[in-house]
Amino acid sequence: MTQPPVRIGVFDSGFGGLTVLRALLEQLPAAEFCYLGDSARLPYGSKSRETVARYAVESARLLENDGSQYLVIACNTASALALDAIRESVQVPVLGVIETGADSAAAVSVSRDVLVLATDATVQSHAYGAACAERGMRALEQACPLLVPLIEEGWTSANQDPERVAVTRRVLQLYLEEAAGRAADAGMTPDTLLLGCTHYPLLRDMLDLLAPANIRILDSAQTTARRVQRELGAPAAATSSASATSRRCRFLATDSVEKFQSLGSRFLGQPIREVEHIDLGG
Ligand code: DGL
């Protein structure tokens, strides 16, 4: 008898988690997904632990009630601040992206010093510092609070206006310079740069140009997808087309569905056709 497809709930404060969903769709070809973007309450990265936990728990419960058998918290901020609260509030297994990000750095770092770029809230939580320490590494955690709004506004390399692209490039450069100064002061020699926010893969081409040539840039999407595949014992995969995605994934957003479609398509790397609006309250 053929098994029904496993249903995986994927949650982010908005759009960034779509970079993780993209890897999950490729890695788990037989699974079905429900993606919830809490776009009405984004950004989480500047909010308190209590607020992020309240929002994330509501979203996780919604995904569980909708039939998800496994939850991926595809938001570093929610993973850093609310993973325990989420796990306590649902019955299904929950995976956060901090652990998988730290795993991916641990697999490649030789110097055992890792530079982590993340939101303010993730940095303040020192979740990466703790996860890296558990794996015998030191983390230099650099807050980059301006990056999420710039990415949300589309001021990435894909923008037609070179002045806007230049603004983002300069901001990124300043954060990297600040991190390099702090690393030197602390006697650290990072050989790995971890994207500790699921929005940041959209700046990958800028980072490739601006980061020192000897630093390896990683994000947690692939490691997360491989971990889910291993934990679920799911067969590994080939590719995913836009039509296959719309059959396999339900998209829920707490703010404008039009905005989710247009912005989300950039993060997912393919068109998002149908989005349902849901209201989680204030
Ligand atoms: N994508 C979220 C993360 O990975 C950050 C976006 C936000 O601030 O809500 O941390």
Side-chain angles (χ1 to χ4, degrees):
M1 210 167 65
T2 46
Q3 299 268 353
V6 63
R7 188 170 176 82
I8 300 171
V10 183
F11 164 66
D12 179 51
S13 57
F15 310 93
L18 291 164
T19 59
V20 179
L21 178 65
R22 187 175 179 164
L24 287 163
L25 282 162
E26 285 168 8
Q27 196 73 30
L28 290 109
E32 288 182 354
F33 298 89
C34 182
Y35 181 95
L36 168 55
D38 191 8
S39 41
R41 304 192 288 197
L42 173 141
Y44 281 16
S46 52
K47 296 193 169 71
S48 69
R49 182 182 293 273
E50 291 69 29
T51 302
V52 170
R54 179 161 60 84
Y55 290 173
V57 162
E58 284 172 4
S59 298
R61 285 193 177 133
L62 184 139
L63 287 168
E64 184 184 40
N65 291 337
D66 181 65
S68 290
Q69 297 148 282
Y70 187 103
L71 299 186
V72 178
I73 309 306
C75 173
N76 288 266
T77 308
S79 299
L81 276 68
L83 198 63
D84 289 343
I86 296 169
R87 284 185 171 143
E88 280 163 21
S89 69
V90 295
Q91 308 294 317
V92 296
V94 181
L95 180 66
V97 286
I98 304 283
E99 287 173 52
T100 54
D103 282 344
S104 61
V108 299
S109 175
V110 175
S111 70
R112 310 311 278 169
D113 285 342
V114 181
L115 168 58
V116 183
L117 305 185
T119 65
D120 221 3
T122 299
V123 167
Q124 296 304 328
S125 76
H126 298 299
Y128 271 109
C132 286
E134 277 169 22
R135 291 158 178 81
M137 300 182 295
R138 296 188 294 181
L140 185 91
E141 299 158 288
Q142 174 67 43
C144 306
L146 292 174
L147 295 185
V148 167
L150 287 165
I151 295 166
E152 294 275 321
E153 288 300 319
W155 289 29
T156 63
S157 310
N159 196 291
Q160 302 296 318
D161 181 347
E163 283 187 38
R164 293 182 177 198
V165 180
V167 169
T168 305
R169 196 181 300 122
R170 182 71 187 125
V171 169
L172 187 55
Q173 194 173 30
L174 288 171
Y175 286 137
L176 289 171
E177 283 169 11
E178 188 182 328
R182 290 177 52 222
D185 290 347
M188 293 172 74
T189 51
D191 62 354
T192 306
L193 191 170
L194 190 53
L195 305 187
C197 171
T198 51
H199 276 65
Y200 298 172
L202 269 77
L203 298 179
R204 182 57 196 257
D205 50 353
M206 280 189 196
L207 279 159
D208 284 338
L209 288 174
L210 295 174
N214 60 348
I215 210 160
R216 183 155 174 174
I217 303 171
L218 300 176
D219 74 65
S220 55
Q222 298 297 337
T223 328
T224 302
R226 280 196 295 275
R227 169 89 172 259
V228 176
Q229 185 208 348
R230 237 185 7 257
E231 288 193 3
L232 293 175
T239 52
S240 150
S241 70
S243 62
T245 297
S246 56
R247 262 190 285 110
R248 291 172 56 208
C249 191
R250 181 174 177 215
F251 293 96
L252 308 175
T254 57
D255 195 20
S256 151
V257 297
E258 292 78 17
K259 184 172 178 193
F260 191 93
Q261 281 170 318
S262 64
L263 200 48
S265 299
R266 291 209 314 261
F267 285 81
L268 190 63
Q270 57 177 277
I272 296 177
R273 303 197 198 286
E274 273 178 48
V275 181
E276 297 161 55
H277 178 261
I278 50 154
D279 192 353
L280 289 175

